[in-house]
Amino acid sequence: MKIAIIGTRGIPNHYGGFEQCAEYLALGLVKRGFEVIVYNSHNHPYQEKVWNGVQIIHCYDPEHTLGTAGQFIYDLNCILNVRKQNCAIVLQLGYTSSSVWGWLMPKKVVVTTNMDGLEWKRTKYSNKVKKFLRYAESLGIKYSDHLISDSIGIQNYLKETYNKSSTYIAYGATLFENNDSEILKSYNLEPNKYDMLIARLEPENSIEIILDGVAKANLSRPFLIIGNHETSYGTYLKNKFSKNSQIKFIGGIYNIDILNNLRYYSNIYFHGHTVGGTNPSLLEAMASNSLICANDNDFNRYILSDDAIYFKDANDVTLNLLDTIYTENRFQAMLIENKKKIINIYDWEIIVDEYAKHFIDITKTRQLSN
């Protein structure tokens, strides 16, 4: 079965969650005998035509010159190319800039779309943009034969809002066991003597709330912010917290081994995401034995249940930083339970099997209807 994956900047991952999903999924599907195409931006760092058995097709992507408008052109170029590929299935990861071209999808393929999170809830967007995103969401549903939800919250939302059923398939993670404290030396860190977060620096990821709490706690141990800070919001945050020497903006890190080790040896890992489904960085923190302090919302509680600390505001962050002792038995119990979830629910091998089953089921459905 030939499958095309569109909607990402490409693999191997140099950007974010959907790229990571595409990377693990493509590798897993190839291992199971599927033929897989992944679409990459023409300026992706990896320029070869094959990556570990996955066919890579580079399409022109003018985002670097046109900004957001370039994403729409890139997605159009990917869809025009996929019309030539004689695929059985197109897996569309997200809908924001691709659903307006949904009517151009090849008619003989089965289109299944991972509906991502509630993009129109992101605070960085103006009301006009939010209105467009709601429209794009509706087009994503209209032009898809099947829908995938990466969280029960999104699944419920699609049913309640559009009366559309979707297949629940979460993101995945792999239990991290190859810890190496030598990696910390490059960052002048000591095991369990620093706190951290990994996120895109955007308002809905609670970065400012967390850092307000860190500044108020006024602890001497370092607090790492890992994520691209060369943005207007990143500049705002760096200026606001410039006098807090313990707050360190590291920038983006895409080496999974380095990230996992930083998570593994952290004292507390903060997860501030408020929009979306099963967030990849949250699962990776669970898989890396991180003690997690998460924004208190339904998406995070569905994954973590009682196996995390929660915050609602900066005062909660301060109290958790001051009062939390990593080695306490109750916290160690949280780590054990989160590991079990990765092994039994979110392991990538399980997730790839669920996608493979979904692809087989939806092609059978198409064959029966013809």
Side-chain angles (χ1 to χ4, degrees), residues 18 113-118 147-159 164-171 274-280 282-283 297-303 345-346 351 354-355:
F18 266 149
T113 302
N114 184 316
M115 291 300 290
D116 199 8
L118 306 180
L147 305 175
I148 297 169
S149 300
D150 62 33
S151 82
I152 298 299
I154 298 297
Q155 189 179 50
N156 291 339
Y157 166 78
L158 294 174
K159 189 65 176 177
K164 286 288 185 178
S165 297
S166 60
T167 301
Y168 168 62
I169 308 177
Y171 278 107
T274 60
V275 178
T278 309
N279 186 270
L282 177 56
L283 295 181
N297 62 66
D298 289 343
F299 292 113
N300 293 336
R301 279 194 176 272
Y302 179 79
I303 302 298
I345 303 172
Y346 299 111
I351 301 304
E354 290 177 355
Y355 267 97

Side-chain angles (χ1 to χ4, degrees), residues 287-322:
S288 299
N289 207 51
S290 298
L291 176 61
I292 297 165
C293 183
N295 182 282
D296 193 355
N297 62 66
D298 289 343
F299 292 113
N300 293 336
R301 279 194 176 272
Y302 179 79
I303 302 298
L304 293 163
S305 187
D306 295 327
D307 302 312
I309 314 161
Y310 290 96
F311 72 90
K312 290 186 177 179
D313 54 31
N315 288 332
D316 289 343
V317 171
T318 300
L319 290 173
N320 286 327
L321 284 167
L322 291 174

Side-chain angles (χ1 to χ4, degrees), residues 178-195:
N178 300 318
N179 48 300
D180 179 7
S181 61
E182 290 294 308
I183 286 173
L184 302 185
K185 292 180 180 178
S186 302
Y187 300 91
N188 296 315
L189 300 170
E190 295 180 52
N192 308 126
K193 292 185 178 180
Y194 62 93
D195 306 299

Side-chain angles (χ1 to χ4, degrees), residues 41-55:
S41 168
H42 80 280
N43 53 19
H44 189 281
Y46 186 82
Q47 286 291 307
E48 303 299 321
K49 294 182 178 180
V50 177
W51 181 73
N52 291 326
V54 181
Q55 183 181 347

Side-chain angles (χ1 to χ4, degrees), residues 42-293:
H42 80 280
N43 53 19
H44 189 281
Y46 186 82
Q47 286 291 307
E48 303 299 321
K49 294 182 178 180
V50 177
W51 181 73
N52 291 326
V54 181
Q55 183 181 347
I56 304 294
I57 296 179
H58 291 86
C59 287
Y60 178 65
D61 174 9
E63 184 182 2
H64 63 295
T65 55
L66 298 180
T68 301
Q71 296 177 19
F72 289 83
I73 296 171
Y74 169 59
D75 282 334
L76 171 61
N77 289 334
C78 293
I79 290 173
L80 291 176
N81 185 279
V82 85
R83 290 165 63 94
K84 307 172 186 176
Q85 298 303 325
N86 194 29
C87 295
I89 290 172
V90 171
L91 171 62
Q92 187 169 228
L93 296 176
Y95 58 82
T96 302
S97 50
S98 60
S99 62
V100 294
W101 311 116
W103 58 280
L104 287 169
M105 284 285 190
K107 303 305 178 188
K108 291 183 179 180
V109 307
V110 183
V111 178
T112 184
T113 302
N114 184 316
M115 291 300 290
D116 199 8
L118 306 180
E119 295 299 297
W120 50 269
K121 280 194 171 184
R122 294 188 185 275
T123 54
K124 67 178 181 179
Y125 295 133
S126 67
N127 287 334
K128 283 185 177 179
V129 172
K130 288 179 180 179
K131 187 175 180 180
F132 167 78
L133 289 171
R134 290 294 294 267
Y135 174 62
E137 180 181 84
S138 68
L139 290 180
I141 291 167
K142 178 180 178 180
Y143 292 121
S144 299
D145 299 298
H146 299 274
L147 305 175
I148 297 169
S149 300
D150 62 33
S151 82
I152 298 299
I154 298 297
Q155 189 179 50
N156 291 339
Y157 166 78
L158 294 174
K159 189 65 176 177
E160 292 165 5
T161 307
Y162 296 98
N163 195 29
K164 286 288 185 178
S165 297
S166 60
T167 301
Y168 168 62
I169 308 177
Y171 278 107
T174 300
L175 201 63
F176 176 65
E177 297 174 309
N178 300 318
N179 48 300
D180 179 7
S181 61
E182 290 294 308
I183 286 173
L184 302 185
K185 292 180 180 178
S186 302
Y187 300 91
N188 296 315
L189 300 170
E190 295 180 52
N192 308 126
K193 292 185 178 180
Y194 62 93
D195 306 299
M196 66 180 293
L197 65 81
I198 300 174
R200 292 186 199 172
L201 271 58
E202 296 178 348
E204 63 269 13
N205 290 338
S206 312
I207 313 290
E208 187 172 10
I209 291 172
I210 293 169
L211 296 184
D212 280 337
V214 172
K216 187 177 178 182
N218 197 30
L219 300 176
S220 60
R221 68 177 183 254
F223 190 98
L224 313 185
I225 300 97
I226 298 175
N228 177 24
H229 51 74
E230 301 300 329
T231 63
S232 58
Y233 189 62
T235 300
Y236 162 74
L237 291 172
K238 285 184 287 187
N239 288 337
K240 177 173 179 177
F241 297 102
S242 60
K243 295 180 181 178
N244 301 95
S245 59
Q246 81 276 30
I247 294 176
K248 302 182 184 302
F249 290 86
I250 304 299
I253 298 175
Y254 301 101
N255 182 306
I256 192 69
D257 192 50
I258 293 174
L259 288 174
N260 283 338
N261 273 287
L262 289 173
R263 282 185 275 244
Y264 183 90
Y265 288 107
S266 65
N267 179 58
I268 307 176
Y269 177 93
F270 282 84
H271 181 76
H273 294 61
T274 60
V275 178
T278 309
N279 186 270
S281 62
L282 177 56
L283 295 181
E284 286 159 7
M286 294 163 65
S288 299
N289 207 51
S290 298
L291 176 61
I292 297 165
C293 183

